[in-house]
Amino acid sequence: MINIFVKYVMLLVLLIIGLDIEILNAQTSPNVSKWPRGVTYEIFVQSFADSDGDGIGDIKGMTSKLDYLEDLGVEGIWLMPMNPSPSYHKYDVSDYYDIHPDYGTLDDFKTFVNEAHKRNIKVVMDMVLNHSGSRHPWFVDALANENSPYRDYYVWAHKDDPQTQISGKIISGDSNNRTRWNKVEGSDYLYYSYFSRNMPDLNYDNPKLREEVFKIGKFWLSEVKVDGFRLDAARHIFPDDRPTDNHNWWVQFQSEMKKANKDVYLIGEVWASSDIVAPYLKGLPALFNFDMGSAITTAVNEEREGDLTTNHKEIIDYYTTVNPDYIDATFLTNHDQVRIMSAVNNTMDKAKMAAALLLTLPGSPYIYYGEEIGMQGKKPDPNIREPFLWQRKESDNYRASWIDPKYSTDQSVIPVEEQLEDENSIYNHYKTFIKLRNGSNALTYGDIEPVAMNNPALSAFKRSTEDESVLVIHNLSNQEINLNIPDFLKEFKNELYKSKDSNLGTNELHLPAYSTVVLGK
Ligand SMILES: [Ca+2]
């Protein structure tokens, strides 16, 4: 009897303590961001966390690191391709319905999605639909047999067809492939590939192929419960001279996917200038803002604002006319680009400034794995996709080793375990800015109003919603700046964030080199 009573009291006490902790958390970090307007983290599975010591990152490894991502403030994960494929990067899929055995099983992935959802983290899968891999059974059959039922899943032309000569010469920003038409031994027909001969383009003029693609998408949404897709090479579904067909295809794809999940999230890779990107917003509500990534890098490197914020405002205003609900997916760099730390010549202050800009400007920021610990990397591609550093190598149980890293080694990057303890680390810099953003309606959802400061090294802007307005000032330069606060900014007097040693006086703002202040009213 006493025992039951004691247990009852203990339970009550635990409940009360639990409640208090909840309230305390709510007071210290009220999260107003709601994905997809939160921060998304891009993972190259092969390099992130290896659970079984075979040198290759895997799904179980990622699952055990979900707490790390939740703690960082991440609300969504974009996973680079995980389907079976002969290449290390897996952008040439040979089975759209399974997981590469190096990464685990379909059940492992279902567990991962479930565990992510428990932590309020959404999961977005890379979908490579422009082309299959050349080892996909469809293509293997189509190649071997001109009468194959899958022949028309791909694009063929007779060797005398003039187009096989002409379009082979065009190259663009996202492909340096010069041979678009590929010869087949013993055949008079060539097949089309935008990227490489191992990636034959799928034929979207074929309604049967389109049905196959809908089936694939619905499988992952319904069976595996992923929240959406990052759509690779979204502007190449139809040939480049048929942009309207491309735009319409994504409208149709979206409406089909909504049948499986009405809230499906679709983000497209349209690697082009904003005028080419904009029409895709009709079918793809989220698009990567490639322009902003390079604009931030340029501003940081040149230590001047230039037209960074006015340009961003122009892009937002323009896209909003096409789709008022569009998601502006901002990022510094992704898996196809020189890592931001290398792009700023390994200058820690500049990498931190790039992050501070990304996380205070409008948009839904994407962070490329390892950016938050200052990983370095330059082309070729495998070297911008090197293993994440959890601990010093000798004690790192999760470090992948499929590649010998050239840029991100124990000598050049401090593993995350040590950065957690250092309040000045780039990891804690990211975490602080993500938390600041997630807790602020103005920073998460607000519009942007550039503020002219008469100093080219200052990037200043207001971010405002109806209820909240904040003023952000970054000193991009290596010189300290003492700023006389103009009268119209004096209403911003609450310090929401300030870099070390910056100081807000009554009439003056002291900004050390590479510093940021965020002020509220
Ligand atoms: Ca492994």
Side-chain angles (χ1 to χ4, degrees):
M1 193 64 190
I2 291 169
N3 250 344
I4 290 170
F5 179 73
V6 169
K7 275 183 187 166
Y8 175 77
V9 170
M10 278 176 67
L11 190 69
L12 203 67
V13 167
L14 279 172
L15 273 173
I16 292 166
I17 292 170
L19 213 63
D20 274 354
I21 290 168
E22 285 285 300
I23 292 164
L24 193 68
N25 279 339
Q27 283 168 348
T28 49
S29 61
N31 219 358
V32 298
S33 60
K34 190 170 181 303
W35 193 85
R37 299 301 299 269
V39 173
T40 303
Y41 189 90
E42 178 191 0
I43 296 180
F44 179 45
V45 184
Q46 179 119 342
S47 280
F48 192 58
D50 174 18
S51 72
D52 58 5
D54 69 352
I56 299 174
D58 46 56
I59 293 169
K60 282 184 175 164
M62 287 195 303
T63 309
S64 62
K65 297 299 182 185
L66 279 168
D67 289 340
Y68 166 77
L69 296 176
E70 184 187 22
D71 195 48
L72 181 59
V74 164
E75 293 173 54
I77 296 170
W78 154 26
L79 298 165
M80 284 169 64
M82 296 189 299
N83 299 122
S85 152
S87 67
Y88 86 94
H89 55 68
K90 305 190 175 21
Y91 279 100
D92 47 349
V93 174
S94 35
D95 181 355
Y96 284 103
Y97 292 95
D98 209 347
I99 296 287
H100 195 291
D102 284 350
Y103 289 179
T105 65
L106 208 50
D107 277 341
D108 292 341
F109 187 45
K110 286 178 181 172
T111 303
F112 172 81
V113 172
N114 193 30
E115 288 297 317
H117 287 170
K118 280 185 194 166
R119 293 163 177 81
N120 275 325
I121 296 175
K122 305 284 187 184
V123 179
V124 175
M125 262 183 94
D126 220 314
M127 262 294 154
V128 191
L129 301 174
N130 172 68
H131 49 266
S132 76
S134 57
R135 298 210 193 153
H136 194 289
W138 295 340
F139 188 72
V140 172
D141 198 58
L143 190 66
N145 175 8
E146 284 181 16
N147 297 315
S148 160
Y150 303 110
R151 181 77 174 180
D152 205 28
Y153 279 29
Y154 297 91
V155 183
W156 304 89
H158 191 271
K159 65 180 168 54
D160 297 335
D161 187 331
Q163 68 171 324
T164 62
Q165 311 302 318
I166 299 161
S167 58
K169 304 289 182 205
I170 302 163
I171 57 164
S172 69
D174 52 3
S175 171
N176 54 10
N177 177 30
R178 285 171 183 276
T179 314
R180 295 274 165 84
W181 290 95
N182 305 278
K183 288 179 186 159
V184 180
E185 216 182 300
S187 168
D188 286 340
Y189 287 87
L190 292 82
Y191 68 89
Y192 181 82
S193 67
Y194 185 84
F195 292 98
S196 82
R197 66 177 294 119
N198 300 328
M199 299 175 173
D201 275 43
L202 291 163
N203 175 17
Y204 279 80
D205 282 317
N206 180 353
K208 267 165 94 179
L209 182 272
R210 293 200 298 268
E211 283 305 320
E212 294 270 16
V213 167
F214 296 145
K215 212 175 98 189
I216 291 164
K218 286 172 183 172
F219 169 79
W220 292 97
L221 294 173
S222 305
E223 298 289 318
V224 189
K225 308 286 185 215
V226 301
D227 300 281
F229 303 118
R230 177 266 183 186
L231 297 149
D232 185 59
R235 65 182 283 230
H236 300 302
I237 295 297
F238 289 98
D240 289 5
D241 58 357
R242 292 169 61 188
T244 311
D245 289 333
N246 275 323
H247 310 153
N248 293 340
W249 154 253
W250 292 116
V251 173
Q252 196 190 357
F253 182 78
Q254 185 189 41
S255 90
E256 285 293 326
M257 293 308 105
K258 280 186 171 171
K259 292 176 187 170
N261 176 355
K262 65 177 173 46
D263 298 321
V264 64
Y265 175 75
L266 301 177
I267 176 155
E269 179 203 28
V270 180
W271 194 335
S273 53
S274 52
D275 54 322
I276 294 175
V277 171
Y280 283 89
L281 288 164
K282 284 180 276 186
L284 298 172
L287 287 165
F288 290 111
N289 192 336
F290 280 87
D291 286 350
M292 277 313 299
S294 51
I296 292 174
T297 309
T298 303
V300 168
N301 271 332
E302 295 181 355
E303 305 201 351
R304 55 195 298 274
E305 217 271 349
D307 44 15
L308 177 72
T309 46
T310 46
N311 263 355
H312 199 171
K313 182 173 164 45
E314 272 171 30
I315 294 174
I316 293 166
D317 291 347
Y318 176 36
Y319 288 175
T320 306
T321 62
V322 183
N323 179 353
D325 301 320
Y326 93 102
I327 304 292
D328 179 29
T330 50
F331 63 100
L332 296 174
T333 66
N334 68 18
H335 64 278
D336 284 324
Q337 299 168 307
V338 171
R339 278 186 176 275
I340 185 65
M341 181 57 95
S342 296
V344 297
N345 292 316
N346 305 327
T347 313
M348 182 57 82
D349 283 332
K350 292 193 175 195
K352 285 181 170 177
M353 182 50 69
L357 281 163
L358 176 74
L359 294 165
T360 52
L361 283 166
S364 297
Y366 277 63
I367 293 172
Y368 181 43
Y369 84 94
E371 216 166 80
E372 81 279 21
I373 58 169
M375 280 179 66
Q376 306 173 10
K378 293 181 185 177
K379 297 256 179 177
D381 287 345
N383 296 108
I384 51 183
R385 304 168 184 171
E386 290 178 350
F388 192 88
L389 299 87
W390 296 99
Q391 294 176 305
R392 290 279 158 193
K393 198 173 179 187
E394 58 276 11
S395 45
D396 194 339
N397 293 325
Y398 284 92
R399 177 101 57 109
S401 58
W402 64 275
I403 184 176
D404 243 350
K406 187 171 166 193
Y407 295 99
S408 293
T409 64
D410 277 0
Q411 285 69 48
S412 60
V413 178
I414 298 168
V416 71
E417 187 189 50
E418 291 173 31
Q419 295 203 29
L420 289 168
E421 309 303 320
D422 174 6
E423 62 173 17
N424 294 317
S425 68
I426 186 165
Y427 166 82
N428 276 315
H429 178 79
Y430 265 86
K431 189 175 169 181
T432 300
F433 271 95
I434 293 171
K435 193 175 177 191
L436 179 71
R437 183 183 186 90
N438 288 350
S440 161
N441 273 308
L443 287 175
T444 301
Y445 303 103
D447 57 17
I448 181 167
E449 185 190 331
V451 177
M453 278 297 185
N454 290 329
N455 186 328
L458 291 177
S459 178
F461 48 90
K462 289 187 210 172
R463 300 285 319 278
S464 308
T465 57
E466 273 180 22
D467 307 321
E468 188 189 357
S469 188
V470 302
L471 173 68
V472 182
I473 306 175
H474 302 283
N475 176 4
L476 308 182
S477 75
N478 63 357
Q479 305 289 318
E480 66 168 41
I481 295 175
N482 289 302
L483 176 74
N484 284 317
I485 303 169
D487 282 344
F488 73 100
L489 293 178
K490 282 186 177 159
E491 57 182 335
F492 293 95
K493 45 187 178 291
N494 284 332
E495 289 173 353
L496 303 177
Y497 172 86
K498 59 169 191 164
S499 299
K500 208 174 156 201
D501 300 331
S502 57
N503 189 32
L504 176 67
T506 318
N507 295 311
E508 204 183 58
L509 179 61
H510 172 69
L511 288 159
Y514 307 116
S515 64
T516 297
V517 295
V518 181
L519 305 172
K521 283 182 182 172

